[in-house]
Amino acid sequence: MNLFHLSKTNRAALFFAMTLLPTGLVYSQSKKDTVQKEKQIEEVVVIGYGTQRKESVTGSVATVKGDALREVPSANITQALQGRTAGVDISQTSSKPGASMQIRIRGVRSLTGDNNPLIVLDGIPFVGSLGDISSSDIKSIDILKDASATAIYGSRGANGVILVTTNRGAKGQKPRFSYNSFTGVQTLFSKYPMMNGPKYAKLRTDAGNIYGLGTDETLTTNTDWQSLYYKPAMITSQDVGVSGGTDGGNYNVGLSYFKQDALVPIQNYERFALRIGLDQQVGKNFKFGFTTNTNFTISEGNGIAAAPTLGNSPLANPYNPDGTFKRTISTASNVDQGWVYTRKTVQNLGDKYIDESKAFASYNNIYGEVTLPLNGLKYRLNVGLDYRTSNSGNYTGVGAFNVNAAAPSSAGQGNNQTYHWVLENLLTYDRTFGKHKVNAVGLYSAEQNRYVSSYISARNVPGDFFQYYNIGQSPQADITIDPNNQVYQQWGLMSYMGRVMYTFDNKYMLTATLRGDGSSRLAPGNKWHTYPALSLGWNVTNESFMQNFSFINLFKLRAGWGQTSNQAVNPYSTLGVLTVVPYNFGTTNGTGLYVSSAPNPNLGWEYSKTQNYGVDFAFLNNRLTGTVEYYRTKTEGLLQAVALPQSSGLGSQTANVGVTENKGWEFSLNGSIIQSAEGFNWDAGINWYTNKNQILSLASGRDRDEGNLWFVGHNINALLDYQNIGLWQQGDPYLNILEPQAGAAVGMIKVLYTGGYNADGTPMRAIGAADRQIIDTAPDWQGGFNMRFAYKNFELSTVGAFQHGGVLISTLYGSSSYLNRLTGRGGNVDVDYWTEENPNVRYPKPGGLRDGDNPKYASTLALFDASYLKLRTITLGYNVNKEFLKDLNLNSLRIYFTVTNPLVLFSPYHKESGMDPEPNSVGDQNQAVNSNYKSRQLIIGTNNPATRNYLMGLNLTF
């Protein structure tokens, strides 16, 4: 390490020296000072269309380094981002291999539009997902959270921006090879909490023997269906790369391979990826380069799920006398028949079943940059060219998964292509005049996206050998081409932008942005909108009155205001919708069209106005750093379906109505707690944040839209349901009034009554729909933490997350999965239910009053306190001694062992079920009935079970 020191205290000279020093150097203001770390001197933040020293940033920007992401070996870098940044909520939407995750930055703004953040890869808007990028490729991720930071990306950045910067080579660097690898086994975090045979037999008895034994059931059988279905699975990641440079340029090339098998049979995900980056200087004034990220993915067996196995009776025997598996079983007084789902029976289907998807994607960025004669002025052209294609197919042979051995075969085949290009012209002026520093950027860009998709299905495929590859061989009458599954979309966006960043004396900072977007999605007269943003910063540390506070290294105040917009409407929505409908006129069959949604020539943008206030601080020679922020975002002109009069002959019209609001606090703190000369270091970080989301108004002045579960004054993901207040017990008054139905009795679920009372104190009516309550599901607060201990060559690190309050929806315990019917039909979750000897419990009397197949008000049993504290990973690593590596011509070698999902604490749901308390499905999937919850809501359903992984890995450079 090189040292540079000034013999006398001279802040101006020191600042000048810092500006000129290469990034590999560190400095000391006097010989007695503690040498500062490089990252604390000149930490640079990517802010979009440029970079800025961290101490000069005036917007809300959070940075996660690539090394921190690699502390969590994972298939998807969004998993590694979980819990790392305040205000960024990352959640599972599926627990299947290769599944993408949901990212929300500072809440949900739009009711019907897109709430996903914009991803920018190496300066170009990215149409892929973060799952398409290997963590080994990433140098840093910068997250822009407020309007003053995101305004430069216009309507695309309305929901926040994630800037991904990949690794590059260095000029003059000799070729450096790297190899990063991990391999491990995925084990079951916990089984679904289903009853075993003895408990299930007792349940049937306590339910009054509504259902007796089926043909394949005996009271002495105790089948563990999950053990017959799940099996530990492998996961592996291999990445090789080479980087280097010449005097005029640099390069980076890498190949990676990832494969993850599922615990359920025949399900897996594979990804092959190639990345190339090149930068080349030509003469003094011209530079060009390109980046390509290309990948090929294969997903298999996504149609395989856990639900059929969970629904089986543990009293059923799946084996024939000869030890082979039965084809079907009959249970519950032979009311239920089911195909026998086990690992072997699924694997033995062979060509009778296939469900796969193959995708190829290439994301390319080409740029050229010219230094113009005017000092500080540059012109840059960015060209993004992206292509993605996906082909999927499924086939289920005759009788597969069906109790009817002669059930017809079925197949489906789909494909889609995305063609995307973007062209950006950038003019940048960057100069320093004494104490004045000016950076100005002007942009003009054009972007176009074309998406084509088709799907065809058929029944009675002639043979298993055809599978889905030649659906045309099926009888013509059995081939279906649904017009709703044939899609063509094309949209375009033209934009201009100007941004000025001004700093005076490294104390006072201003950033002003003006952006205009024109979208083809919107109606003439509303296509264009221009919106401003402004942020101010005051670096109090550099004021003369702060010089005596030597323990304060940074104290900066920030304030920002800005407007962004969201082109959340789907293409062609301004034109209305025609729907195809078959009809007959006498004996003649025909096809007609009708208007299903009215056009709206006034359809425009959704607008968000954001205020952001922040404080950045650093103390004790930058050993303690942090940020405190408050924000408020109000989104207006929300796109929503407005009901039309029946006389119009139409149901609704999409219009700009409705308002939402998000506001909250964010706090981040990072510290080097111990730095000892003996080689022991302890670093820690924590982030904490709140987000209060609510709807302020809806269409037509209504205060509720029960069909969509939207309610004014409540968050977007609120529920409407009865409030469970326990169970009816002996001696409770008014049971016969509040629950007058035949069969109502003690032991049934008791819900809150909100009606009036007569003069004698008796309720005026029975409990009904008017007693349902609006239930806000958002947590009170949440966050994450990380710690790293290092002693000489050893290191121990952990990453975790926490959440307090909120409502977790577990459909296993509610009414929509048919797994808690408490009647003795189908499998049942293991619950402590009411009996006369055991009255003080949560779950009702078996066989009591029912609504359909479930106990009345069973949906209230699906709701749990969503609090938890969770360790996501624990990693023990060892860095091999460099002296030893010299003899092997190696630069570095790190070996590590990682455990994921090792521990969950303070979770009521985990205490009840033993399961991972994080959602594994979207609200309209992985249930027997998928209509109770909305797709925007996240639930625990009958998806793949959570895993605990044990991984060994190494990082090698030479």
Side-chain angles (χ1 to χ4, degrees):
M1 178 178 294
N2 298 303
L3 295 178
F4 174 88
H5 67 87
L6 300 173
S7 59
K8 295 182 179 180
T9 301
N10 186 324
R11 293 183 61 84
L14 178 60
F15 177 76
F16 180 76
M18 288 169 58
T19 304
L20 296 180
L21 283 174
T23 58
L25 302 183
V26 297
Y27 80 98
S28 175
Q29 187 170 339
S30 68
K31 293 182 179 179
K32 295 181 180 180
D33 283 350
T34 302
V35 175
Q36 303 295 302
K37 292 182 178 180
E38 164 207 348
K39 66 178 182 180
Q40 309 291 4
I41 303 172
E42 280 292 326
E43 186 168 356
V44 173
V45 176
V46 179
I47 56 173
Y49 302 117
T51 59
Q52 195 172 22
R53 291 193 299 117
K54 187 173 183 179
E55 67 173 14
S56 299
V57 173
T58 56
S60 181
V61 183
T63 300
V64 182
K65 297 297 184 183
D67 290 340
L69 294 174
R70 287 183 282 276
E71 290 178 5
V72 183
S74 59
N76 192 323
I77 60 173
T78 48
Q79 295 171 337
L81 273 174
Q82 281 184 296
R84 285 286 189 177
T85 305
V88 181
D89 182 33
I90 300 176
S91 305
Q92 278 192 137
T93 59
S94 174
S95 48
K96 294 180 179 179
S100 60
M101 302 185 75
Q102 173 182 284
I103 305 175
R104 296 291 180 262
I105 298 176
R106 291 184 168 179
V108 179
R109 298 161 182 79
S110 180
L111 295 178
T112 60
D114 186 12
N115 283 291
N116 293 310
L118 170 70
I119 300 172
V120 176
L121 178 63
D122 289 326
I124 290 291
F126 185 56
V127 295
S129 71
L130 288 176
D132 293 325
I133 308 169
S134 170
S135 61
S136 298
D137 300 342
I138 295 176
K139 179 181 180 181
S140 67
I141 290 181
D142 297 270
I143 301 173
L144 313 183
K145 297 188 285 186
D146 74 324
S148 66
T150 65
I152 55 170
Y153 288 104
S155 59
R156 298 172 300 178
N159 301 311
V161 181
I162 298 176
L163 306 175
V164 181
T165 303
T166 59
N167 293 315
R168 318 290 283 189
K171 287 185 178 180
Q173 173 190 309
K174 293 182 179 179
R176 175 174 294 180
F177 295 86
S178 65
Y179 174 57
N180 299 289
S181 167
F182 68 81
T183 299
V185 61
Q186 305 166 94
T187 64
L188 200 61
F189 180 87
S190 69
K191 292 180 180 179
Y192 283 92
M194 307 305 294
M195 286 185 177
N196 61 21
K199 287 185 178 180
Y200 190 73
K202 184 177 185 302
L203 169 68
R204 278 190 176 169
T205 300
D206 291 336
N209 291 310
I210 300 172
Y211 298 100
L213 294 173
T215 303
D216 295 291
E217 291 180 297
T218 67
L219 291 176
T220 58
T221 302
N222 185 15
T223 301
D224 184 348
W225 290 98
Q226 295 184 74
S227 293
L228 295 174
Y229 199 56
Y230 304 131
K231 180 183 177 182
M234 296 299 295
I235 181 172
T236 185
S237 175
Q238 311 295 327
D239 183 282
V240 295
V242 58
S243 63
T246 63
D247 292 340
N250 61 77
Y251 59 88
N252 183 290
V253 180
L255 286 167
S256 66
Y257 171 75
F258 175 84
K259 183 175 183 181
Q260 181 181 11
D261 293 322
L263 272 63
V264 301
I266 68 171
Q267 190 178 97
N268 62 71
Y269 171 79
E270 272 185 295
R271 181 183 65 222
F272 304 82
L274 166 69
R275 64 186 184 277
I276 303 174
L278 173 70
D279 302 288
Q280 182 63 48
Q281 186 78 35
V282 180
K284 293 182 178 180
N285 299 321
F286 180 65
K287 182 171 69 172
F288 73 93
F290 73 90
T291 302
T292 180
N293 283 271
T294 300
N295 63 68
F296 177 67
T297 62
I298 305 171
S299 295
E300 294 184 332
N302 281 335
I304 299 296
T309 294
L310 302 179
N312 286 338
S313 164
L315 301 178
N317 180 6
Y319 296 102
N320 293 307
D322 63 359
T324 60
F325 282 106
K326 298 175 181 177
R327 186 179 176 279
T328 63
I329 53 173
S330 182
T331 61
S333 300
N334 295 328
V335 172
D336 291 331
Q337 291 80 38
W339 194 81
V340 174
Y341 272 84
T342 70
R343 193 172 195 88
K344 280 193 174 181
T345 56
V346 172
Q347 290 173 335
N348 288 341
L349 287 173
D351 289 343
K352 279 186 173 294
Y353 178 76
I354 188 172
D355 183 1
E356 64 182 10
S357 176
K358 299 178 181 179
F360 172 83
S362 183
Y363 309 106
N364 305 280
N365 171 18
I366 305 169
Y367 77 89
E369 185 176 279
V370 179
T371 300
L372 300 176
L374 181 62
N375 192 10
L377 188 64
K378 293 181 180 180
Y379 168 76
R380 181 181 175 112
L381 174 67
N382 290 330
V383 179
L385 301 170
D386 306 317
Y387 172 72
R388 188 179 191 279
T389 182
S390 173
N391 293 279
S392 62
N394 62 83
Y395 171 73
T396 303
V398 173
F401 306 122
N402 202 300
V403 295
N404 178 8
S409 61
S410 63
Q413 184 178 38
N415 65 81
N416 62 71
Q417 293 85 36
T418 299
Y419 308 85
H420 173 260
W421 62 261
V422 61
L423 186 69
E424 296 181 332
N425 296 273
L426 285 160
L427 199 61
T428 304
Y429 181 70
D430 192 357
R431 285 290 305 276
T432 300
F433 305 93
K435 295 182 178 182
H436 306 273
K437 180 174 177 59
V438 178
N439 179 281
V441 178
L443 171 140
Y444 177 78
S445 70
E447 180 180 4
Q448 182 175 284
N449 192 90
R450 181 159 58 97
Y451 175 77
V452 182
S453 176
S454 64
Y455 185 82
I456 182 173
S457 61
R459 289 161 56 91
N460 292 309
V461 179
D464 291 337
F465 50 85
F466 282 117
Q467 294 189 328
Y468 67 85
Y469 298 107
N470 195 344
I471 288 178
Q473 293 291 341
S474 300
Q476 292 301 302
D478 291 330
I479 298 175
T480 301
I481 303 176
D482 186 344
N484 293 319
N485 292 330
Q486 322 306 315
V487 178
Y488 176 88
Q489 289 183 350
Q490 181 169 299
W491 57 264
L493 187 73
M494 295 185 69
S495 309
Y496 61 86
M497 182 273 292
R499 180 185 65 193
V500 175
M501 296 186 294
Y502 170 73
T503 302
F504 174 72
D505 201 19
N506 203 32
K507 299 177 184 177
Y508 313 111
M509 294 148 284
L510 176 148
T511 301
T513 305
L514 189 69
R515 170 99 184 197
D517 281 340
S519 174
S520 67
R521 304 183 189 210
L522 303 175
N526 293 292
K527 290 183 180 294
W528 280 91
H529 183 68
T530 301
Y531 30 86
L534 179 70
S535 59
L536 304 171
W538 178 24
N539 195 341
V540 183
T541 321
N542 292 335
E543 296 288 356
S544 58
F545 59 79
M546 293 291 292
Q547 301 313 304
N548 294 326
F549 299 94
S550 58
F551 67 94
I552 301 177
N553 304 105
L554 175 66
F555 186 75
K556 183 178 67 176
L557 305 177
R558 295 183 282 109
W561 173 90
Q563 184 186 87
T564 58
S565 59
N566 188 352
Q567 48 170 345
V569 62
N570 289 324
Y572 318 122
S573 294
T574 58
L575 306 177
V577 177
L578 292 175
T579 299
V580 177
V581 59
Y583 71 95
N584 64 290
F585 188 77
T587 58
T588 303
N589 295 324
T591 301
L593 300 171
Y594 71 96
V595 180
S596 56
S597 181
N600 184 353
N602 299 313
L603 206 59
W605 302 82
E606 292 184 352
Y607 302 105
S608 293
K609 295 179 181 178
T610 298
Q611 304 168 45
N612 190 86
Y613 307 94
V615 178
D616 300 327
F617 57 86
F619 302 131
L620 306 175
N621 288 322
N622 292 302
R623 289 181 61 177
L624 188 66
T625 62
T627 297
V628 178
E629 292 189 90
Y630 173 78
Y631 66 90
R632 181 175 181 268
T633 300
K634 188 175 183 181
T635 304
E636 301 174 324
L638 294 176
L639 293 160
Q640 190 182 355
V642 179
L644 298 175
Q646 291 185 352
S647 59
S648 69
L650 300 170
S652 64
Q653 178 189 55
T654 302
N656 293 101
V657 291
V659 180
T660 61
E661 180 185 67
N662 287 275
K663 58 184 178 182
W665 289 88
E666 297 173 357
F667 172 72
S668 299
L669 185 67
N670 294 283
S672 295
I673 301 172
I674 296 177
Q675 293 180 337
S676 72
E678 290 76 23
F680 178 72
N681 296 307
W682 177 15
D683 299 324
I686 187 170
N687 66 81
W688 173 94
Y689 61 96
T690 67
N691 174 261
K692 183 178 181 181
N693 166 267
Q694 62 177 330
I695 298 172
L696 299 184
S697 69
L698 290 169
S700 306
R702 293 180 297 170
D703 64 356
R704 59 174 55 201
D705 180 342
E706 293 186 5
N708 288 305
L709 296 179
W710 293 327
F711 308 96
V712 172
H714 298 270
N715 63 56
I716 290 176
N717 289 324
L719 299 171
L720 181 66
D721 205 345
Y722 296 94
Q723 182 177 334
N724 187 318
I725 58 174
L727 302 177
W728 285 98
Q729 305 289 356
Q730 293 288 351
D732 286 353
Y734 313 133
L735 172 59
N736 62 328
I737 300 175
L738 295 175
E739 299 289 354
Q741 310 94 319
V746 295
M748 69 176 288
I749 297 171
K750 187 177 185 179
V751 298
L752 181 67
Y753 169 68
T754 61
Y757 292 86
N758 297 309
D760 62 358
T762 59
M764 297 178 66
R765 60 171 174 80
I767 288 175
D771 294 299
R772 293 177 300 170
Q773 304 291 302
I774 302 170
I775 303 170
D776 285 318
T777 59
D780 301 324
W781 42 264
Q782 57 195 122
F785 60 92
N786 59 85
M787 286 190 289
R788 179 181 179 274
F789 303 90
Y791 179 68
K792 295 185 178 179
N793 290 355
F794 289 93
E795 58 184 40
L796 178 67
S797 63
T798 184
V799 178
F802 54 83
Q803 178 173 301
H804 180 268
V807 174
L808 172 66
I809 303 169
S810 175
T811 62
L812 309 176
Y813 290 87
S815 58
S816 57
S817 285
Y818 290 161
L819 294 176
N820 197 17
R821 291 185 276 193
L822 291 170
T823 59
R825 182 182 179 187
N828 209 99
V829 286
D830 189 0
V831 296
D832 190 11
Y833 53 77
W834 187 97
T835 63
E836 291 183 358
E837 300 78 21
N838 186 40
N840 299 315
V841 293
R842 182 173 190 256
Y843 297 93
K845 178 183 182 298
L849 182 63
R850 298 196 297 275
D851 181 4
D853 284 335
N854 291 287
K856 190 175 183 183
Y857 309 122
S859 60
T860 65
L861 300 175
L863 308 184
F864 291 81
D865 181 345
S867 301
Y868 68 84
L869 184 150
K870 180 177 179 181
L871 289 185
R872 296 196 185 281
T873 62
I874 298 176
T875 298
L876 176 65
Y878 177 74
N879 295 285
V880 178
N881 192 290
K882 291 187 177 295
E883 295 299 322
F884 173 76
L885 294 177
K886 282 184 180 179
D887 297 333
L888 301 176
N889 292 321
L890 302 177
N891 292 333
S892 66
L893 174 61
R894 174 177 175 265
I895 304 170
Y896 64 89
F897 174 73
T898 296
V899 181
T900 67
N901 280 350
L903 184 64
V904 174
L905 299 170
F906 313 119
S907 166
Y909 183 72
H910 177 70
K911 183 178 180 180
E912 168 85 19
S913 66
M915 295 179 62
D916 189 329
E918 293 192 78
N920 64 14
S921 305
V922 294
D924 60 351
Q925 294 181 9
N926 296 307
Q927 305 153 74
V929 178
N930 288 323
S931 58
N932 287 16
Y933 305 103
K934 305 302 178 184
S935 60
R936 66 179 184 271
Q937 296 166 324
L938 299 181
I939 64 168
I940 292 179
T942 54
N943 209 335
N944 289 16
T947 63
R948 177 178 286 130
N949 304 339
Y950 300 90
L951 309 172
M952 283 288 295
L954 64 86
N955 309 118
L956 171 67
T957 61
F958 58 93

